[in-house]
Amino acid sequence: MRLLILGLLFLSFSVHAAEWNDLEMDQKYTLTQSFQLPQIERSASLVDFLEGEEVVLKDIIALDMIKVMLFKFDYKNCPGPDMKTDMEIIPVKNTAPVVEVGAQLEKCSLEIFIESKDLMSTSFFE
């Protein structure tokens, strides 16, 4: 019986990445993987997004014409309010087949573009 209770406690405290479809507005999320985006102003400079950093989901926009959803996150570790990066394709870890998203930073807003067909897949947020 103790083993069952300990197992249930462990499961309730373990953290799993959320599906894209489960992300909610104004909620704080933690990155579960690191990635980099190239700055537009400085061609050799990269913005590092590190596993464990927190963001807040501020908006979800359906881009129906291209069958994509845009998730906009407030990025607290922004290097500057005018920071802008190029869009990069980021493969999401632990997805099979591999899901790729478009990511860019604009004015401290981390923008993630994901195809509508992939909304039920694992995100890189928990």
Side-chain angles (χ1 to χ4, degrees), residues 27-29 31 48-49 53-58 73-81 105 107-110:
Q27 294 297 312
K28 189 183 298 184
Y29 294 98
L31 283 170
D48 292 314
F49 296 84
E53 286 186 303
E54 292 183 344
V55 295
V56 176
L57 181 56
K58 287 300 184 186
F73 296 87
D74 185 21
Y75 182 58
K76 300 292 185 196
N77 294 338
C78 188
L105 182 68
K107 297 187 178 184
C108 298
S109 177
L110 174 60

Side-chain angles (χ1 to χ4, degrees), residues 29-62:
Y29 294 98
T30 304
L31 283 170
T32 60
Q33 73 181 63
S34 298
F35 58 93
Q36 296 178 319
L37 297 176
Q39 289 185 36
I40 289 178
E41 301 90 35
R42 300 181 192 122
S43 61
S45 187
L46 298 170
V47 178
D48 292 314
F49 296 84
L50 303 175
E51 181 178 342
E53 286 186 303
E54 292 183 344
V55 295
V56 176
L57 181 56
K58 287 300 184 186
D59 204 0
I60 301 172
I61 301 168

Side-chain angles (χ1 to χ4, degrees), residues 1-49:
M1 184 66 169
R2 285 185 189 175
L3 192 57
L4 176 63
I5 292 172
L6 286 174
L8 290 174
L9 283 174
F10 176 77
L11 285 175
S12 67
F13 288 114
S14 64
V15 180
H16 299 284
E19 290 183 355
W20 294 100
N21 206 39
D22 293 336
L23 300 180
E24 298 178 7
M25 301 280 287
D26 296 317
Q27 294 297 312
K28 189 183 298 184
Y29 294 98
T30 304
L31 283 170
T32 60
Q33 73 181 63
S34 298
F35 58 93
Q36 296 178 319
L37 297 176
Q39 289 185 36
I40 289 178
E41 301 90 35
R42 300 181 192 122
S43 61
S45 187
L46 298 170
V47 178
D48 292 314
F49 296 84

Side-chain angles (χ1 to χ4, degrees), residues 20 31-37 49 87-103 112-114 118 121-125:
W20 294 100
L31 283 170
T32 60
Q33 73 181 63
S34 298
F35 58 93
Q36 296 178 319
L37 297 176
F49 296 84
M87 182 182 294
E88 287 288 308
I89 302 300
I90 310 294
V92 179
K93 291 182 181 177
N94 302 321
T95 56
V98 175
V99 172
E100 296 178 321
V101 299
I112 305 293
F113 298 83
I114 183 164
D118 294 325
S121 68
T122 301
S123 73
F124 47 63
F125 298 103

Side-chain angles (χ1 to χ4, degrees), residues 69-84:
M69 295 294 287
L70 168 60
F71 291 80
K72 289 186 170 193
F73 296 87
D74 185 21
Y75 182 58
K76 300 292 185 196
N77 294 338
C78 188
D82 295 327
M83 178 63 56
K84 195 171 189 178

